[in-house]
Amino acid sequence: MSAGSEDGLDDEPAYHWPIPPAEGWTADDLERIPGLPPHTELIDGSLVFTRPRTRFHMRCMRLLEHSLLEQVPGDLDVDREFTVKLDRRNRPEPDILVFRAEVDLGPDQTWHKPEDVLLAVEVVSADSVERDRETKPRKYAAAGVRHYWRVEQDEDKGLPVVYAYELDPATKSYALAGIFHDRLKLSVPFDIEIDLTAIDRRPGSR
């Protein structure tokens, strides 16, 4: 009996981690590398793997996705955990994004162009603090994504806090548009209001 069988595991070949080329991976390689874990991103030519989502993370995404879908204008749409090909070496996967509905290419589409994305939202996890606070907003801004929200958990209440940023086209950098506790209310990129205290409320319930 093999060691794998003794452990109650099937005798399967060991997984071999992909070895990057000398110049690093490209955005198109995400379509070609076999066996990548779900939600793998490409940052500066390197593969970035994510930890399992926390309940806070998942419920934040649920709240924002449903709220945005209910309030988004007809010429826009919302995707969840969908990649954006910023350039040849960067293809992050925002937790939530709002994009121009006319660029929906059908069920086999796997990424958006940054110029078609109006809003990128990242919910911060323990392993993504630096990426979500520094690396990703810098890259989203440089690529022309007009709005960026960073969502963190309030240490006292355990509720979402949304840091909303708007692109300054002259500097290609983000300016803080507001910090929102309990309730988010903005007029850009469209009129939207979200009760952040409803994170544990089921969609459609009162």
Side-chain angles (χ1 to χ4, degrees), residues 112-171:
H112 286 303
K113 298 177 182 178
E115 58 265 31
D116 295 325
V117 176
L118 276 74
L119 168 66
V121 182
E122 298 285 2
V123 180
V124 177
S125 299
D127 64 332
S128 71
V129 173
E130 184 175 336
R131 291 195 302 275
D132 293 341
R133 289 181 177 180
E134 301 177 18
T135 306
K136 286 188 177 181
R138 185 174 67 251
K139 292 182 179 297
Y140 288 143
V145 176
R146 283 176 269 176
H147 299 272
Y148 175 69
W149 296 356
R150 188 182 80 247
V151 186
E152 303 199 14
Q153 186 174 20
D154 179 88
E155 293 183 359
D156 296 323
K157 298 181 179 180
L159 296 175
V161 179
V162 178
Y163 299 80
Y165 297 86
E166 186 172 354
L167 183 66
D168 180 343
T171 62

Side-chain angles (χ1 to χ4, degrees), residues 174-185:
Y174 286 127
L176 184 64
I179 302 174
F180 299 91
H181 300 257
D182 297 336
R183 184 167 296 274
L184 179 150
K185 189 173 183 179

Side-chain angles (χ1 to χ4, degrees), residues 57-68:
H57 195 121
M58 294 299 296
R59 293 192 174 187
C60 259
M61 289 195 295
R62 182 178 70 181
L63 173 65
L64 296 174
E65 179 184 23
H66 283 270
S67 298
L68 289 167

Side-chain angles (χ1 to χ4, degrees), residues 6 12 29 36 61 88 91 98-99 113 146 174:
E6 291 174 354
E12 296 181 355
D29 288 329
L36 287 179
M61 289 195 295
R88 185 174 178 272
R91 187 172 162 183
V98 176
F99 65 99
K113 298 177 182 178
R146 283 176 269 176
Y174 286 127

Side-chain angles (χ1 to χ4, degrees), residues 17-25 45:
W17 293 100
I19 299 174
E23 67 277 9
W25 300 109

Side-chain angles (χ1 to χ4, degrees), residues 62-118:
R62 182 178 70 181
L63 173 65
L64 296 174
E65 179 184 23
H66 283 270
S67 298
L68 289 167
L69 280 169
E70 289 174 352
Q71 301 177 55
V72 73
D75 62 335
L76 301 176
D77 205 346
V78 180
D79 273 333
R80 172 175 170 160
E81 299 173 306
F82 200 81
T83 61
V84 182
K85 191 182 291 187
L86 300 181
D87 55 39
R88 185 174 178 272
R89 290 168 50 82
N90 289 279
R91 187 172 162 183
E93 182 185 283
D95 289 313
I96 306 289
L97 57 83
V98 176
F99 65 99
R100 294 190 299 115
E102 65 186 34
V103 302
D104 185 339
L105 301 180
D108 294 329
Q109 184 176 356
T110 57
W111 55 271
H112 286 303
K113 298 177 182 178
E115 58 265 31
D116 295 325
V117 176
L118 276 74

